[in-house]
Amino acid sequence: MADSNFIDYVKIHCRSGKGGAGSLHFHRAKYVPKGGPDGGDGGKGGSVILKGNRNMWTLLPLKFQRHVFATNGQSGGAGRSFGKDGEDKIIEVPCGTVVFDAETGEYITEVTNDGQEVVLLKGGRGGLGNWHFATATNRTPRFAQPGEPALERTVVLELKLLADVGLVGFPNAGKSTLLSSVSAARPKIADYPFTTMEPQLGIVGYRDNRSFVMADIPGIIEGASEGRGLGLRFLRHIERNAVLLFMIPADADDIAEQYAILQRELTEFNPDLADKPRVLAISKSDMLDEELMQEIEKTLPEGVPHVFISSVSGYNLMPLKDMLWSEITSEANQILAQTIIHRRLDGHHRVTDEDELVFDEMPIEEEEEAPDYGMPFLDEDADESLYE
């Protein structure tokens, strides 16, 4: 995976900008006695913002930009001159990116739509200048507010492909062949295991000019949820799939047993996957006759819709699309898709190389600020309009 451009897990260090300090200044002019306070407000610090981009399919740009820092707000000046606001730092990410706290593993937020913006770290508010605090009894306030401090956080960005159907199966089950047969995708196909080294997406055409997206992930083997093979590396991508298509070849020794193994691996990776709608496809069925199909049907797991298919000959591919479309558009599935719960990013789901990455401390740029005269920030009950 070191040479692949498909990066779906990256750890970065973010910092918002601190607010500029308010100015402590009094108007001084030759013909204006007792000009009064006129210290300006400090500028707002820049925020760190995530923005969805449908034209991106990988987190590769962030692999070479580990530090994301917004700029600080500038201090206020004389004559009620407001300090310049810091510039926001916008991080463009693929749709389907989920954010976790790198230290605790807790879920923070996600970006699912193109153009959607999520504030990851809010910039500090600028301090108020001393002209705000002039009153009838205190006409020369000798204090101003400092700016709010910056926020700093290390986060893990995890990409989960947004697809309607996810292909689940052991290596060489025919997943890539099916994807190439029903879509324009051209995944690598060979007669050895793990030919698929990264997820592949394809748009499957359906009746009346409708379509849905199908995702092929590397083959799963027994123990994948514990880190064996490539399954654990890519199982996260089927968490967002509306329907899971289990593919088991017709020449398998025990189809029911293989289905149970796949089901167990998914559940151990994320228990919520047990509620996903699923369809069972018996691939490579062009080698079977009607009598053999009837015998195999007796051994299939109960309650799971199934169909015998052949990607090479095209046998039963349209009935398979009908079954998948029915599951995708069912009302129960739409409700389930809206209530997805992301599992916690614990040691079981981390990528070791990224998790052990240590960021070098980078000094905060020094800038000239108004002195801190001990004026605290406004509390929660204060008039927020003063900051607008």
Coordinates of all heavy atoms in Angstrom, one line a residue, residues 224-312:
A224 N -10.0 -11.3 9.6 CA -9.8 -9.9 9.0 C -10.1 -8.9 10.1 O -9.4 -7.9 10.1 CB -10.7 -9.7 7.8
S225 N -11.1 -9.1 10.9 CA -11.4 -8.1 11.9 C -10.3 -8.0 13.0 O -10.3 -7.0 13.8 CB -12.8 -8.4 12.6 OG -12.7 -9.7 13.2
E226 N -9.4 -9.0 13.0 CA -8.3 -8.9 14.0 C -7.0 -8.5 13.3 O -6.0 -8.5 13.9 CB -8.1 -10.3 14.6 CG -9.3 -10.8 15.4 CD -9.2 -12.2 15.8 OE1 -8.1 -12.8 15.5 OE2 -10.1 -12.7 16.5
G227 N -7.1 -8.1 12.0 CA -6.0 -7.6 11.3 C -5.4 -8.5 10.3 O -4.4 -8.1 9.6
R228 N -5.9 -9.6 10.0 CA -5.4 -10.5 9.0 C -5.8 -10.1 7.6 O -6.9 -9.6 7.4 CB -5.8 -12.0 9.3 CG -5.3 -12.6 10.5 CD -5.7 -14.1 10.6 NE -5.2 -14.8 9.4 CZ -5.6 -16.0 9.1 NH1 -6.6 -16.6 9.7 NH2 -5.1 -16.6 8.0
G229 N -4.8 -10.3 6.7 CA -5.1 -9.9 5.3 C -5.3 -8.4 5.1 O -4.8 -7.6 5.9
L230 N -6.1 -8.0 4.2 CA -6.4 -6.6 3.9 C -7.7 -6.2 4.3 O -8.1 -5.0 4.2 CB -6.2 -6.3 2.4 CG -4.8 -6.5 1.8 CD1 -4.9 -6.3 0.3 CD2 -3.8 -5.6 2.4
G231 N -8.5 -7.1 4.9 CA -9.9 -6.8 5.2 C -10.1 -5.7 6.2 O -10.9 -4.8 6.0
L232 N -9.3 -5.7 7.3 CA -9.4 -4.7 8.3 C -9.1 -3.3 7.8 O -9.6 -2.3 8.2 CB -8.5 -5.0 9.5 CG -8.5 -4.1 10.7 CD1 -9.9 -4.1 11.3 CD2 -7.4 -4.4 11.7
R233 N -8.1 -3.3 6.8 CA -7.7 -2.0 6.3 C -8.8 -1.3 5.5 O -8.8 -0.1 5.4 CB -6.5 -2.3 5.3 CG -5.9 -1.0 4.7 CD -5.1 -0.3 5.7 NE -4.3 0.8 5.1 CZ -4.8 2.0 4.8 NH1 -6.0 2.3 5.1 NH2 -4.0 2.9 4.2
F234 N -9.8 -2.1 5.0 CA -10.8 -1.5 4.1 C -12.2 -1.7 4.5 O -13.2 -1.3 3.8 CB -10.6 -1.9 2.7 CG -9.3 -1.5 2.1 CD1 -8.3 -2.4 1.8 CD2 -9.1 -0.2 1.7 CE1 -7.1 -2.0 1.3 CE2 -7.8 0.2 1.2 CZ -6.8 -0.7 1.0
L235 N -12.4 -2.4 5.6 CA -13.8 -2.7 6.1 C -14.5 -1.5 6.4 O -15.8 -1.5 6.4 CB -13.7 -3.6 7.3 CG -13.6 -5.1 7.0 CD1 -13.5 -5.9 8.4 CD2 -14.8 -5.7 6.3
R236 N -13.8 -0.4 6.7 CA -14.5 0.9 7.0 C -15.4 1.4 5.9 O -16.4 2.1 6.1 CB -13.5 2.0 7.4 CG -12.6 2.4 6.3 CD -11.7 3.6 6.7 NE -10.8 3.2 7.8 CZ -9.6 2.8 7.5 NH1 -9.1 2.7 6.3 NH2 -8.8 2.4 8.5
H237 N -15.0 1.0 4.6 CA -15.7 1.5 3.5 C -17.1 0.9 3.3 O -18.0 1.5 2.6 CB -14.9 1.3 2.2 CG -13.6 2.0 2.2 ND1 -13.6 3.4 2.0 CD2 -12.3 1.6 2.3 CE1 -12.3 3.8 2.1 NE2 -11.5 2.7 2.3
I238 N -17.4 -0.2 3.9 CA -18.8 -0.7 3.8 C -19.7 -0.3 4.9 O -20.9 -0.6 4.9 CB -18.7 -2.3 3.7 CG1 -18.2 -2.8 5.1 CG2 -17.9 -2.8 2.6 CD1 -18.3 -4.3 5.1
E239 N -19.2 0.5 5.8 CA -20.0 1.0 6.9 C -21.1 2.0 6.4 O -22.1 2.1 6.9 CB -19.2 1.7 8.0 CG -18.3 0.8 8.8 CD -17.5 1.5 9.9 OE1 -16.8 2.5 9.6 OE2 -17.7 1.1 11.0
R240 N -20.8 2.7 5.2 CA -21.7 3.6 4.7 C -22.5 3.1 3.5 O -23.3 3.8 3.0 CB -21.0 4.9 4.2 CG -20.8 5.9 5.3 CD -20.9 7.3 4.8 NE -21.0 8.2 5.9 CZ -22.2 8.6 6.5 NH1 -23.3 8.0 6.1 NH2 -22.2 9.4 7.4
N241 N -22.3 1.8 3.1 CA -23.1 1.2 2.1 C -24.5 1.0 2.5 O -24.7 0.5 3.6 CB -22.4 -0.1 1.6 CG -21.0 0.2 1.0 OD1 -20.2 -0.8 1.0 ND2 -20.7 1.4 0.6
A242 N -25.4 1.2 1.6 CA -26.8 1.0 1.9 C -27.2 -0.5 2.0 O -28.0 -0.9 2.8 CB -27.7 1.7 0.9
V243 N -26.6 -1.2 1.1 CA -26.8 -2.7 1.0 C -25.5 -3.4 0.8 O -24.6 -2.9 0.2 CB -27.7 -3.0 -0.3 CG1 -28.0 -4.5 -0.4 CG2 -29.0 -2.2 -0.2
L244 N -25.4 -4.6 1.4 CA -24.2 -5.4 1.3 C -24.6 -6.6 0.4 O -25.5 -7.3 0.7 CB -23.8 -5.9 2.7 CG -23.4 -4.8 3.7 CD1 -23.0 -5.5 5.0 CD2 -22.4 -3.9 3.2
L245 N -23.7 -6.8 -0.6 CA -23.9 -7.9 -1.5 C -22.8 -8.9 -1.2 O -21.7 -8.8 -1.5 CB -23.8 -7.4 -3.0 CG -23.9 -8.5 -4.0 CD1 -25.2 -9.3 -3.9 CD2 -23.7 -7.9 -5.4
F246 N -23.2 -10.0 -0.5 CA -22.3 -11.1 -0.2 C -22.1 -12.0 -1.5 O -23.1 -12.4 -2.1 CB -22.8 -12.0 0.9 CG -22.7 -11.3 2.3 CD1 -23.5 -10.2 2.6 CD2 -21.8 -11.8 3.2 CE1 -23.4 -9.6 3.9 CE2 -21.7 -11.2 4.4 CZ -22.5 -10.1 4.8
M247 N -20.9 -12.2 -1.9 CA -20.6 -13.0 -3.0 C -19.8 -14.3 -2.6 O -18.7 -14.1 -2.0 CB -19.8 -12.2 -4.1 CG -20.7 -11.1 -4.7 SD -19.9 -10.4 -6.2 CE -19.9 -11.8 -7.3
I248 N -20.4 -15.4 -2.9 CA -19.7 -16.7 -2.6 C -19.8 -17.6 -3.9 O -20.8 -17.7 -4.5 CB -20.4 -17.4 -1.5 CG1 -20.4 -16.5 -0.2 CG2 -19.8 -18.8 -1.2 CD1 -21.2 -17.1 1.0
P249 N -18.6 -18.1 -4.3 CA -18.6 -18.9 -5.6 C -19.4 -20.2 -5.4 O -19.5 -20.8 -4.3 CB -17.1 -19.1 -5.8 CG -16.5 -18.9 -4.5 CD -17.3 -17.9 -3.8
A250 N -19.9 -20.7 -6.5 CA -20.7 -21.9 -6.5 C -19.9 -23.1 -6.1 O -20.4 -24.1 -5.7 CB -21.4 -22.1 -7.8
D251 N -18.6 -23.1 -6.4 CA -17.7 -24.2 -6.1 C -17.2 -24.2 -4.7 O -16.3 -25.0 -4.4 CB -16.6 -24.3 -7.1 CG -15.7 -23.0 -7.1 OD1 -16.1 -22.1 -6.4 OD2 -14.7 -23.0 -7.8
A252 N -17.7 -23.4 -3.8 CA -17.3 -23.3 -2.4 C -17.7 -24.6 -1.7 O -18.7 -25.2 -2.0 CB -17.9 -22.1 -1.7
D253 N -16.8 -25.0 -0.7 CA -17.1 -26.3 0.0 C -18.4 -26.2 0.8 O -19.2 -27.1 0.8 CB -15.9 -26.6 0.9 CG -14.7 -26.9 0.2 OD1 -14.8 -27.3 -1.0 OD2 -13.6 -26.7 0.7
D254 N -18.6 -25.1 1.5 CA -19.8 -24.9 2.3 C -20.2 -23.4 2.2 O -19.6 -22.6 2.9 CB -19.5 -25.3 3.7 CG -20.8 -25.4 4.6 OD1 -21.8 -24.7 4.2 OD2 -20.8 -26.1 5.6
I255 N -21.2 -23.1 1.4 CA -21.7 -21.7 1.2 C -22.2 -21.1 2.5 O -21.9 -20.0 2.8 CB -22.7 -21.7 0.1 CG1 -22.1 -22.1 -1.2 CG2 -23.3 -20.3 0.0 CD1 -23.1 -22.1 -2.4
A256 N -22.9 -21.9 3.2 CA -23.5 -21.4 4.5 C -22.4 -21.0 5.5 O -22.5 -20.0 6.2 CB -24.5 -22.4 5.1
E257 N -21.4 -21.9 5.6 CA -20.3 -21.6 6.5 C -19.5 -20.4 6.1 O -19.2 -19.5 6.9 CB -19.4 -22.8 6.5 CG -18.2 -22.6 7.5 CD -17.3 -23.8 7.5 OE1 -17.5 -24.8 6.8 OE2 -16.3 -23.8 8.2
Q258 N -19.3 -20.2 4.8 CA -18.5 -19.0 4.3 C -19.3 -17.8 4.6 O -18.8 -16.7 5.0 CB -18.2 -19.2 2.9 CG -17.1 -20.2 2.5 CD -16.5 -19.9 1.2 OE1 -16.7 -18.9 0.5 NE2 -15.7 -20.9 0.8
Y259 N -20.6 -17.8 4.4 CA -21.5 -16.7 4.7 C -21.4 -16.3 6.2 O -21.4 -15.2 6.6 CB -23.0 -17.0 4.3 CG -23.9 -15.9 4.7 CD1 -24.1 -14.8 3.8 CD2 -24.6 -16.0 5.9 CE1 -25.0 -13.8 4.2 CE2 -25.5 -14.9 6.2 CZ -25.7 -13.9 5.4 OH -26.6 -12.9 5.7
A260 N -21.5 -17.3 7.1 CA -21.4 -17.1 8.5 C -20.1 -16.5 8.9 O -20.0 -15.6 9.8 CB -21.6 -18.4 9.2
I261 N -19.0 -16.9 8.2 CA -17.6 -16.3 8.6 C -17.6 -14.8 8.2 O -17.2 -14.0 8.9 CB -16.5 -17.1 7.8 CG1 -16.4 -18.5 8.4 CG2 -15.2 -16.4 8.0 CD1 -15.4 -19.4 7.6
L262 N -18.1 -14.5 7.0 CA -18.1 -13.2 6.5 C -19.0 -12.3 7.4 O -18.6 -11.2 7.8 CB -18.7 -13.1 5.1 CG -17.8 -13.7 4.0 CD1 -18.5 -13.7 2.7 CD2 -16.5 -12.9 3.8
Q263 N -20.1 -12.8 7.8 CA -21.0 -12.1 8.7 C -20.4 -11.8 10.1 O -20.5 -10.7 10.6 CB -22.3 -12.9 8.9 CG -23.3 -12.4 9.9 CD -24.0 -11.1 9.5 OE1 -23.8 -10.7 8.4 NE2 -24.8 -10.6 10.4
R264 N -19.7 -12.8 10.6 CA -19.0 -12.7 11.9 C -17.9 -11.6 11.8 O -17.7 -10.8 12.7 CB -18.5 -14.0 12.3 CG -17.8 -14.0 13.7 CD -17.5 -15.3 14.2 NE -16.5 -16.0 13.4 CZ -16.8 -17.1 12.6 NH1 -18.0 -17.5 12.5 NH2 -15.9 -17.7 11.9
E265 N -17.1 -11.6 10.7 CA -16.0 -10.7 10.6 C -16.6 -9.2 10.6 O -16.0 -8.3 11.2 CB -15.2 -10.9 9.3 CG -14.5 -12.2 9.4 CD -13.5 -12.3 10.5 OE1 -12.9 -11.3 10.9 OE2 -13.3 -13.4 11.1
L266 N -17.7 -9.0 9.8 CA -18.3 -7.7 9.8 C -18.8 -7.3 11.1 O -18.6 -6.1 11.5 CB -19.4 -7.7 8.7 CG -19.1 -8.0 7.3 CD1 -20.3 -7.8 6.4 CD2 -17.9 -7.1 6.8
T267 N -19.5 -8.1 11.8 CA -20.1 -7.8 13.1 C -19.0 -7.5 14.2 O -19.1 -6.6 15.0 CB -21.0 -8.9 13.6 OG1 -21.9 -9.2 12.6 CG2 -21.7 -8.6 14.9
E268 N -17.9 -8.2 14.1 CA -16.8 -8.0 15.1 C -16.1 -6.7 14.8 O -15.6 -6.0 15.7 CB -15.8 -9.1 15.0 CG -16.3 -10.4 15.6 CD -15.3 -11.5 15.6 OE1 -14.2 -11.3 15.1 OE2 -15.6 -12.6 16.1
F269 N -16.1 -6.3 13.5 CA -15.5 -5.0 13.1 C -16.4 -3.8 13.6 O -15.9 -2.8 14.2 CB -15.3 -4.9 11.6 CG -14.7 -3.6 11.2 CD1 -13.3 -3.3 11.3 CD2 -15.5 -2.6 10.6 CE1 -12.8 -2.1 10.9 CE2 -15.0 -1.4 10.2 CZ -13.6 -1.2 10.3
N270 N -17.7 -3.9 13.3 CA -18.6 -2.9 13.8 C -20.0 -3.6 14.0 O -20.6 -4.0 13.0 CB -18.8 -1.8 12.7 CG -19.7 -0.7 13.2 OD1 -20.3 -0.8 14.2 ND2 -19.7 0.4 12.4
P271 N -20.5 -3.7 15.2 CA -21.7 -4.4 15.5 C -22.9 -3.9 14.7 O -23.9 -4.6 14.4 CB -21.9 -4.3 17.0 CG -20.5 -4.1 17.5 CD -19.8 -3.3 16.5
D272 N -22.9 -2.6 14.3 CA -24.0 -2.0 13.6 C -24.2 -2.5 12.2 O -25.2 -2.4 11.6 CB -23.8 -0.4 13.5 CG -23.9 0.2 14.9 OD1 -24.7 -0.3 15.7 OD2 -23.3 1.3 15.1
L273 N -23.1 -3.2 11.7 CA -23.2 -3.8 10.4 C -24.2 -5.0 10.3 O -24.6 -5.4 9.3 CB -21.8 -4.2 9.9 CG -20.8 -3.1 9.6 CD1 -19.5 -3.7 9.2 CD2 -21.4 -2.2 8.5
A274 N -24.5 -5.5 11.5 CA -25.4 -6.6 11.5 C -26.8 -6.3 11.1 O -27.6 -7.1 10.6 CB -25.5 -7.2 13.0
D275 N -27.2 -5.0 11.1 CA -28.5 -4.5 10.7 C -28.6 -4.1 9.3 O -29.6 -3.7 8.8 CB -28.9 -3.3 11.6 CG -29.0 -3.7 13.1 OD1 -29.4 -4.9 13.3 OD2 -28.8 -2.8 13.9
K276 N -27.5 -4.2 8.5 CA -27.4 -3.7 7.1 C -28.3 -4.7 6.3 O -28.1 -5.9 6.4 CB -26.0 -3.7 6.6 CG -25.2 -2.5 7.2 CD -25.4 -1.3 6.3 CE -24.4 -0.2 6.8 NZ -24.7 1.0 6.0
P277 N -29.1 -4.2 5.4 CA -29.7 -5.1 4.4 C -28.7 -5.8 3.6 O -27.6 -5.3 3.2 CB -30.6 -4.1 3.5 CG -30.7 -2.9 4.4 CD -29.5 -2.8 5.2
R278 N -29.0 -7.1 3.2 CA -28.0 -7.9 2.5 C -28.6 -8.7 1.5 O -29.8 -9.1 1.6 CB -27.2 -8.7 3.5 CG -28.0 -9.7 4.3 CD -27.3 -10.0 5.6 NE -27.1 -8.9 6.4 CZ -25.9 -8.5 7.0 NH1 -24.9 -9.3 6.8 NH2 -25.8 -7.5 7.7
V279 N -27.9 -9.1 0.4 CA -28.3 -9.9 -0.6 C -27.1 -10.9 -0.9 O -26.0 -10.5 -0.8 CB -28.6 -9.2 -1.9 CG1 -28.9 -10.1 -3.1 CG2 -29.8 -8.2 -1.7
L280 N -27.5 -12.2 -1.1 CA -26.5 -13.2 -1.3 C -26.5 -13.6 -2.8 O -27.5 -14.0 -3.3 CB -26.8 -14.5 -0.4 CG -25.9 -15.7 -0.7 CD1 -24.4 -15.3 -0.4 CD2 -26.3 -16.8 0.2
A281 N -25.3 -13.5 -3.4 CA -25.2 -13.9 -4.8 C -24.2 -15.1 -4.9 O -23.1 -15.0 -4.4 CB -24.6 -12.7 -5.6
I282 N -24.7 -16.1 -5.5 CA -23.9 -17.3 -5.8 C -23.2 -17.1 -7.1 O -23.9 -17.3 -8.2 CB -24.7 -18.6 -5.7 CG1 -25.6 -18.6 -4.5 CG2 -23.8 -19.8 -5.8 CD1 -24.9 -18.5 -3.2
S283 N -21.9 -16.8 -7.1 CA -21.2 -16.5 -8.4 C -20.7 -17.7 -9.1 O -20.8 -18.8 -8.5 CB -20.1 -15.5 -8.1 OG -19.1 -16.1 -7.2
K284 N -20.3 -17.5 -10.3 CA -19.8 -18.6 -11.1 C -20.8 -19.8 -11.3 O -20.4 -21.0 -11.3 CB -18.5 -19.2 -10.5 CG -17.4 -18.1 -10.3 CD -16.2 -18.7 -9.6 CE -15.2 -17.6 -9.3 NZ -13.9 -18.1 -8.6
S285 N -22.1 -19.4 -11.4 CA -23.1 -20.4 -11.5 C -23.3 -20.9 -12.9 O -24.2 -21.8 -13.1 CB -24.5 -19.7 -11.0 OG -24.4 -19.4 -9.7
D286 N -22.5 -20.5 -13.9 CA -22.6 -21.0 -15.2 C -22.1 -22.5 -15.3 O -22.4 -23.2 -16.3 CB -21.8 -20.2 -16.2 CG -20.4 -19.9 -15.7 OD1 -20.1 -20.2 -14.6 OD2 -19.6 -19.4 -16.5
M287 N -21.5 -22.9 -14.2 CA -21.1 -24.3 -14.1 C -22.1 -25.3 -13.5 O -21.9 -26.5 -13.4 CB -19.8 -24.4 -13.3 CG -19.9 -24.1 -11.8 SD -18.4 -24.2 -10.9 CE -17.4 -22.8 -11.6
L288 N -23.3 -24.7 -13.1 CA -24.3 -25.5 -12.4 C -25.5 -25.7 -13.4 O -25.8 -24.9 -14.3 CB -24.8 -24.7 -11.2 CG -23.8 -24.3 -10.1 CD1 -24.5 -23.5 -9.0 CD2 -23.1 -25.5 -9.6
D289 N -26.2 -26.8 -13.1 CA -27.4 -27.1 -13.8 C -28.6 -26.8 -12.8 O -28.4 -26.6 -11.6 CB -27.5 -28.5 -14.4 CG -27.2 -29.6 -13.4 OD1 -27.4 -29.3 -12.2 OD2 -26.8 -30.7 -13.7
E290 N -29.8 -27.0 -13.3 CA -31.0 -26.7 -12.4 C -31.0 -27.6 -11.2 O -31.3 -27.2 -10.1 CB -32.2 -26.9 -13.2 CG -32.5 -25.8 -14.3 CD -32.7 -24.4 -13.7 OE1 -33.2 -24.4 -12.5 OE2 -32.4 -23.4 -14.4
E291 N -30.6 -28.9 -11.4 CA -30.7 -29.8 -10.3 C -29.7 -29.4 -9.2 O -30.0 -29.4 -8.0 CB -30.4 -31.2 -10.8 CG -30.5 -32.3 -9.7 CD -30.3 -33.7 -10.2 OE1 -30.1 -33.8 -11.5 OE2 -30.2 -34.6 -9.4
L292 N -28.5 -29.0 -9.6 CA -27.5 -28.6 -8.6 C -27.9 -27.3 -7.8 O -27.7 -27.2 -6.6 CB -26.1 -28.4 -9.2 CG -25.3 -29.7 -9.6 CD1 -24.1 -29.3 -10.4 CD2 -25.0 -30.4 -8.3
M293 N -28.5 -26.4 -8.6 CA -29.0 -25.2 -8.0 C -30.0 -25.5 -6.9 O -30.0 -24.9 -5.8 CB -29.6 -24.2 -9.0 CG -28.5 -23.6 -9.9 SD -29.3 -22.4 -11.1 CE -27.9 -22.1 -12.1
Q294 N -30.9 -26.4 -7.2 CA -31.9 -26.8 -6.2 C -31.3 -27.4 -5.0 O -31.8 -27.1 -3.8 CB -33.0 -27.7 -6.8 CG -33.8 -27.1 -7.9 CD -34.7 -28.0 -8.6 OE1 -34.8 -29.2 -8.2 NE2 -35.5 -27.6 -9.6
E295 N -30.3 -28.2 -5.1 CA -29.6 -28.8 -4.0 C -28.9 -27.8 -3.1 O -28.9 -27.8 -1.9 CB -28.6 -29.9 -4.5 CG -29.3 -31.1 -5.1 CD -30.1 -31.9 -4.1 OE1 -29.7 -31.9 -2.9 OE2 -31.2 -32.4 -4.4
I296 N -28.2 -26.8 -3.8 CA -27.5 -25.8 -3.1 C -28.5 -24.9 -2.3 O -28.2 -24.4 -1.2 CB -26.7 -24.9 -4.1 CG1 -25.5 -25.8 -4.6 CG2 -26.1 -23.7 -3.4 CD1 -24.7 -25.1 -5.7
E297 N -29.7 -24.6 -2.9 CA -30.6 -23.7 -2.3 C -31.1 -24.2 -0.9 O -31.4 -23.5 0.0 CB -31.9 -23.5 -3.2 CG -31.7 -22.5 -4.3 CD -33.0 -22.2 -5.0 OE1 -33.8 -23.2 -5.1 OE2 -33.1 -21.1 -5.5
K298 N -31.0 -25.6 -0.7 CA -31.4 -26.2 0.5 C -30.5 -25.9 1.7 O -30.8 -25.9 2.8 CB -31.6 -27.7 0.4 CG -32.7 -28.1 -0.6 CD -32.7 -29.6 -0.8 CE -33.7 -30.1 -1.8 NZ -33.7 -31.5 -2.0
T299 N -29.2 -25.5 1.3 CA -28.2 -25.3 2.3 C -27.9 -23.8 2.6 O -27.1 -23.4 3.4 CB -26.8 -25.9 1.8 OG1 -26.4 -25.2 0.6 CG2 -27.0 -27.4 1.5
L300 N -28.6 -22.9 1.8 CA -28.4 -21.5 2.0 C -29.0 -21.0 3.3 O -30.0 -21.5 3.8 CB -29.0 -20.7 0.8 CG -28.4 -21.0 -0.6 CD1 -29.0 -20.2 -1.7 CD2 -26.9 -20.8 -0.6
P301 N -28.4 -19.9 3.9 CA -29.0 -19.3 5.1 C -30.4 -18.8 4.9 O -30.7 -18.2 3.8 CB -28.0 -18.2 5.4 CG -27.3 -17.9 4.2 CD -27.2 -19.2 3.4
E302 N -31.2 -19.0 5.9 CA -32.6 -18.5 5.7 C -32.8 -17.0 6.0 O -32.0 -16.4 6.7 CB -33.5 -19.3 6.7 CG -33.5 -20.8 6.5 CD -34.4 -21.5 7.6 OE1 -35.0 -20.8 8.4 OE2 -34.5 -22.7 7.5
G303 N -33.8 -16.4 5.3 CA -34.1 -15.0 5.5 C -33.2 -14.1 4.7 O -33.3 -12.8 4.9
V304 N -32.3 -14.6 3.9 CA -31.4 -13.7 3.1 C -31.8 -13.9 1.6 O -31.7 -15.0 1.1 CB -29.9 -14.1 3.3 CG1 -29.1 -13.1 2.5 CG2 -29.6 -14.0 4.8
P305 N -32.2 -12.8 0.9 CA -32.5 -13.0 -0.5 C -31.3 -13.4 -1.3 O -30.2 -13.0 -1.0 CB -32.9 -11.5 -0.9 CG -33.2 -10.8 0.3 CD -32.4 -11.5 1.4
H306 N -31.4 -14.4 -2.2 CA -30.3 -14.9 -2.9 C -30.6 -15.1 -4.4 O -31.8 -15.1 -4.8 CB -29.9 -16.3 -2.3 CG -31.0 -17.3 -2.5 ND1 -32.0 -17.5 -1.6 CD2 -31.2 -18.3 -3.5 CE1 -32.8 -18.5 -2.0 NE2 -32.3 -19.0 -3.2
V307 N -29.6 -15.1 -5.2 CA -29.7 -15.3 -6.6 C -28.4 -15.9 -7.2 O -27.3 -15.7 -6.7 CB -30.0 -13.9 -7.3 CG1 -28.8 -13.0 -7.0 CG2 -30.2 -14.1 -8.8
F308 N -28.6 -16.8 -8.1 CA -27.5 -17.5 -8.8 C -27.1 -16.6 -10.0 O -27.9 -16.3 -10.8 CB -27.8 -18.9 -9.2 CG -28.0 -19.8 -8.1 CD1 -29.2 -20.0 -7.5 CD2 -27.0 -20.6 -7.7 CE1 -29.4 -20.9 -6.4 CE2 -27.1 -21.5 -6.6 CZ -28.4 -21.6 -6.0
I309 N -25.8 -16.2 -10.1 CA -25.4 -15.4 -11.2 C -24.1 -15.9 -11.9 O -23.4 -16.7 -11.3 CB -25.1 -13.9 -10.7 CG1 -23.9 -13.9 -9.7 CG2 -26.3 -13.3 -10.0 CD1 -23.4 -12.5 -9.4
S310 N -23.8 -15.3 -13.0 CA -22.5 -15.6 -13.7 C -22.1 -14.3 -14.4 O -22.8 -13.8 -15.3 CB -22.7 -16.7 -14.8 OG -21.5 -16.8 -15.5
S311 N -21.1 -13.7 -13.9 CA -20.6 -12.4 -14.4 C -20.1 -12.5 -15.8 O -20.2 -11.6 -16.6 CB -19.6 -11.7 -13.5 OG -20.1 -11.6 -12.2
V312 N -19.5 -13.7 -16.2 CA -18.9 -13.9 -17.5 C -20.0 -14.0 -18.5 O -19.9 -13.4 -19.6 CB -18.0 -15.1 -17.4 CG1 -17.4 -15.4 -18.8 CG2 -16.8 -14.9 -16.4

